[in-house]
């Protein structure tokens, strides 16, 4: 029988995996062997006799996770542990009330957990150890909010493992669309009409397999963002002055009680766009200081997944 590509479950944790390690994903993919090769150049009377050797194999995983809170509202969402693999520090603030779950990325932050990632695709499990990653955030009007992850780790040979059939996604809350009912944005102290916001944490992922050690690590980081808002009169807000004067004020976006905050956001380029006949201002910039994602911990949440639109760990419309 053929192995079906949509029958897949992704886990992040410490083997042997449990249901608590399963992650509800979109478009989960794996590159089973990545990394550099060395070429052996043979002298022969024939052409095409070069042989390639994999010198430092590793695995690469990409997938998306919905930006939504845990159903109980009193615990951090499952994707917080994925942020920790991208050098975020997660913790709970008890002041102010109610308690607040926070994922904070500082400029010098690094990964402190040693976890394993595995994706089971209809009976074959692809895994990697010692993983590190990068994440981008995509918020576009009239779409669903997504965290897009790229994780790499030390190569593990694929093996046959029965795909789990007892996945429970009841703790996952269904996301809300980016629109006028669920989303607000403030840029440099000004409330704006938001068309899109994209943030790239900008972790530079590297892998080395030197004698004595195989390791995946974050070699550098430059966090960048782009934002498209409705253009205003300069007497209301002069964005061009902010750019030229290197204003580093904050950007805060609230979506369905999840807050995304750039404490110091420098705008450095601008362009004008037409959005359905409306003049829009597109700007790019740098997150100079910390990036945080936080939410109040409270119990008045609903809209969980009932499993009707889930197929073995991935949303059917992947």
């Amino acid at each position: 029988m053929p192995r079906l590509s949509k029958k897949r479950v992704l886990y992040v944790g410490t083997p042997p995996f449990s249901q608590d390690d399963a992650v509800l994903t979109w478009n989960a993919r794996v590159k089973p062997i990545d990394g550099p090769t060395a070429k052996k150049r043979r002298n022969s009377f024939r052409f095409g006799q070069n042989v390639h050797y994999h010198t430092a194999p590793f695995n690469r995983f990409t997938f998306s996770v919905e930006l939504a809170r845990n159903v109980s509202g009193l615990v951090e969402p499952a994707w917080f542990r994925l942020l920790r693999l991208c050098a975020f520090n997660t913790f709970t603030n008890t002041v102010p009330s109610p308690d607040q779950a926070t994922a904070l990325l500082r400029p010098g932050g690094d990964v402190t957990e040693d976890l394993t990632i595995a994706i089971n695709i209809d009976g074959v499990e692809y895994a990697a150890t010692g993983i590190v990653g990068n994440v981008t955030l995509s918020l576009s009007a009239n779409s669903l909010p997504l965290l897009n992850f790229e994780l790499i780790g030390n190569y593990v040979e694929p093996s046959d493992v029965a795909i789990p059939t007892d996945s429970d996604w009841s703790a996952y809350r269904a996301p809300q669309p980016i629109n006028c009912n669920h989303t607000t944005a403030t840029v440099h102290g000004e409330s704006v009409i938001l068309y899109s916001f994209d943030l790239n944490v900008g972790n530079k992922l590297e892998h080395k397999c030197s004698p004595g050690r195989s390791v995946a690590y974050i070699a550098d980081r430059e966090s960048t963002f782009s934002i498209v808002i409705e253009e205003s009169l300069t007497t209301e807000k002069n964005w061009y002055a902010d750019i030229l004067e290197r204003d580093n004020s904050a950007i805060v976006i609230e979506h369905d009680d999840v807050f995304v905050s750039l404490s110091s956001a420098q705008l450095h380029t601008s362009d004008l766009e037409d959005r359905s006949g409306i003049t829009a201002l597109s700007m790019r910039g740098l997150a100079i200081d910390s990036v945080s994602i936080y939410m109040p911990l409270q119990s008045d949440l609903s809209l969980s997944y009932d499993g009707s639109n889930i197929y073995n760990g991935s949303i059917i419309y992947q």
Side-chain angles (χ1 to χ4, degrees):
M1 292 294 292
R3 291 173 50 238
L4 301 180
S5 63
K6 281 195 174 182
K7 297 177 68 174
R8 58 184 64 194
V9 181
L10 186 140
Y11 295 91
V12 175
T14 302
F17 297 116
S18 68
Q19 172 56 37
D20 291 339
D21 298 317
V23 180
L24 185 60
T25 63
W26 290 34
N27 302 319
R29 289 180 170 84
V30 58
K31 189 172 184 180
I33 299 178
D34 204 344
T37 60
K39 182 183 292 187
K40 180 178 181 180
R41 301 180 181 275
R42 291 177 171 174
N43 294 321
S44 173
F45 64 90
R46 299 173 181 171
F47 293 130
Q49 294 300 296
N50 294 333
V51 177
H52 289 260
Y53 294 82
H54 286 278
T55 60
F58 64 93
N59 291 5
R60 187 184 304 271
F61 299 78
T62 59
F63 55 91
S64 298
V65 176
E66 297 163 346
L67 183 73
R69 298 169 60 189
N70 190 285
V71 164
S72 75
L74 297 175
V75 297
E76 67 180 35
W79 43 265
F80 259 40
R81 71 175 177 272
L82 301 173
L83 292 179
R84 290 196 290 271
L85 297 173
C86 301
F88 281 78
N89 177 31
T90 63
F91 53 91
T92 299
N93 288 334
T94 56
V95 179
S97 181
D99 292 353
Q100 179 177 286
T102 300
L104 177 67
L105 175 72
R106 295 192 182 278
D110 204 353
V111 178
T112 59
E113 291 186 83
D114 184 9
L115 297 180
T116 296
I117 184 172
I119 182 171
N120 190 311
I121 304 179
D122 199 10
V124 176
E125 185 172 274
Y126 307 86
T129 61
I131 50 179
V132 297
N134 184 49
V135 60
T136 64
L137 170 67
S138 177
L139 304 177
S140 296
N142 304 315
S143 65
L144 297 178
L146 292 177
L147 292 161
N148 308 300
F149 289 91
E150 177 185 12
L151 303 178
I152 68 170
N154 298 318
Y155 174 78
V156 175
E157 185 174 348
S159 60
D160 294 348
V161 178
I163 191 167
T165 59
D166 59 349
S167 298
D168 177 13
W169 307 109
S170 60
Y172 283 81
R173 186 173 186 241
Q176 298 294 340
I178 307 292
N179 61 20
C180 56
N181 297 318
H182 302 289
T183 316
T184 61
T186 302
V187 181
H188 287 194
E190 187 78 12
S191 296
V192 298
I193 298 173
L194 180 70
Y195 290 118
S196 67
F197 176 77
D198 294 277
L199 170 68
N200 184 353
V201 165
N203 290 335
K204 182 182 178 182
L205 307 180
E206 296 284 357
H207 179 268
K208 296 294 183 185
C209 183
S210 303
R213 183 180 65 181
S214 178
V215 61
Y217 61 99
I218 296 173
D220 197 2
R221 177 183 301 120
E222 184 178 58
S223 299
T224 60
F225 66 89
S226 63
I227 187 168
V228 181
I229 61 175
E230 188 170 304
E231 171 74 303
S232 60
L233 296 174
T234 57
T235 53
E236 297 174 354
K237 177 62 177 179
N238 191 335
W239 298 107
Y240 311 104
D242 281 11
I243 293 173
L244 293 176
E245 295 170 6
R246 300 183 302 280
D247 188 324
N248 293 338
S249 299
I251 293 178
V252 179
I253 298 175
E254 178 186 359
H255 175 71
D256 194 30
D257 281 337
V258 177
F259 295 79
V260 178
S261 174
L262 279 58
S263 62
S264 182
Q266 180 188 358
L267 302 168
H268 62 71
T269 63
S270 64
D271 199 359
L272 295 178
E273 300 181 4
D274 184 305
R275 292 293 181 106
S276 301
I278 297 175
T279 303
L281 176 62
S282 172
M283 296 181 287
R284 295 182 179 274
L286 299 171
I288 304 298
D289 199 356
S290 62
V291 175
S292 60
I293 301 175
Y294 58 94
M295 63 207 71
L297 296 178
Q298 54 194 30
S299 58
D300 58 342
L301 301 179
S302 58
L303 296 173
S304 66
Y305 280 114
D306 60 8
S308 61
N309 61 337
I310 303 298
Y311 188 80
N312 281 340
S314 291
I315 298 177
I316 288 177
Y317 43 87
Q318 53 174 347

